[in-house]
Structures are given as structure tokens and as C-alpha cells.
Amino acid sequence: MRTTLWASMVAVVLASGASCKKKDDAAKAMDNAASSAAKAQEDVNDQAKDVNNGRKDIIKDQQNLAKDQADVNKQQGELNAAETDLAQARERYSVAAKQRLANLDAQIQQLEARADASARDAAARLRVRRDELASRLDAIGSQVQAGWDTFKKDVDNGFDKLEKDVNDAIHK
């Protein structure tokens, strides 16, 4: 019996040692799994932060794009208004130039109505210059914005010289 008791005790000790060893392996496996899960959770959290930051960046970029588009639209509106103003100014200039041409025509006709041949010759020369000036005015619509000031200055100078010469011929 003593042998049986000893054998039983040894069996219990061995069984409990094996069971402890199994328990230790299971605990280590569980700890490893928990550690892996914690690391995976950290990775998920980091990736979630990256995605959220990316979304915030996209939203910010979209807001900036919307603001930039609004600025472009505003500038386009200002450009359209400036082009309209320029077209109106050109039209007013054209109307004023045509009025000056009409005044020159009246003065040249007055000169042509004189009886002397020198007045009629002067009127013919002045009419040629008037016609040249009128043909330059016909090109007003094709003038680019960059050349507008030069065009206007040339036409104004042409009018000034022609009007002076017409007045001088009339008062001779």
C-alpha cells in the first residue's frame, strides 16, 4: 500500500506538473496573443489617425480650391466689366471722332464753295487727308488693347493738324 500511495502521489505530482506546464504554455500563448492584439490595435489607431488627417487635408484643400475658384470668378467678373468699359469708351470715342469728321466736312465744303481756284485746290488736298483719317478710324474695332493709346494719340494728332490746316485755309 505504501507503494501504491507513493505511486499515486508521484502520479499526482507529475500530473499537476504537466498541467502547470500546460497552463504556463497556454498563459504565454494568451499573453502573446494579447500583445499581438494590442499592437494590431495600435496600428489600427495609427492608420485611423492617418485617414482622419488625410480627410482633414482633403477638406482643407477643397476649401482652398473653392476659395481660389471664387477669386478667379471675381477676377473674371472684373475683367468682363473692364472689357465692357473699354468697348463703351471706344464707342464714345468713335462717336466723338465722327462728329469731328462731320465738322471738318462742313468746313471743307465751305472752302470748296469759294470762287477762287486756290481755295478749291486746298479743299481737295484737305479732303484727301480727311479721308485718310476716316479710314484710320474705321480700324478702331480691330485695335488691340495694348495699341489703343498709340492709336488714339495718332488719330487725335491727325485731327488736330487737319483742323488747324482747315481753319488756316478758311481764314486766308
Side-chain angles (χ1 to χ4, degrees):
M1 194 154 97
R2 255 182 165 185
T3 312
T4 310
L5 188 59
W6 275 106
S8 294
M9 282 176 94
V10 169
V12 168
V13 169
L14 285 175
S16 46
S19 127
C20 284
K21 188 173 183 182
K22 285 184 182 177
K23 198 173 192 182
D24 287 340
D25 288 341
K28 285 181 183 177
M30 192 170 154
D31 286 343
N32 286 340
S35 196
S36 292
K39 185 177 180 197
Q41 183 62 46
E42 285 180 29
D43 287 345
V44 167
N45 290 343
D46 289 344
Q47 293 301 320
K49 281 182 185 178
D50 290 346
V51 168
N52 285 335
N53 288 339
R55 284 184 182 146
K56 287 178 185 177
D57 289 344
I58 288 171
I59 290 169
K60 185 178 177 183
D61 290 345
Q62 288 173 338
Q63 290 170 343
N64 288 339
L65 179 62
K67 182 181 176 242
D68 290 345
Q69 186 62 46
D71 289 346
V72 167
N73 290 342
K74 179 182 174 190
Q75 291 170 350
Q76 183 64 47
E78 291 172 357
L79 174 63
N80 292 343
E83 287 173 343
T84 300
D85 290 347
L86 177 61
Q88 290 172 348
R90 284 183 177 190
E91 182 60 29
R92 286 191 303 271
Y93 183 80
S94 177
V95 168
K98 288 178 183 176
Q99 180 59 46
R100 283 178 86 176
L101 283 175
N103 290 343
L104 283 171
D105 286 340
Q107 290 176 330
I108 291 172
Q109 284 176 352
Q110 185 181 30
L111 197 57
E112 288 172 334
R114 287 191 183 169
D116 60 288
S118 65
R120 279 182 267 168
D121 287 340
R125 285 191 308 275
L126 292 171
R127 178 138 338 257
V128 168
R129 287 177 51 198
R130 179 255 178 238
D131 291 343
E132 289 171 358
L133 189 57
S135 68
R136 280 196 290 182
L137 278 174
D138 289 340
I140 196 169
S142 65
Q143 292 301 312
V144 293
Q145 185 176 353
W148 173 252
D149 289 336
T150 302
F151 171 79
K152 186 178 162 288
K153 182 179 177 184
D154 290 344
V155 169
D156 287 345
N157 286 340
F159 267 116
D160 292 343
K161 288 176 185 175
L162 184 56
E163 287 170 340
K164 180 187 178 305
D165 291 345
V166 167
N167 284 331
D168 288 348
I170 288 175
H171 291 55
K172 254 187 183 181

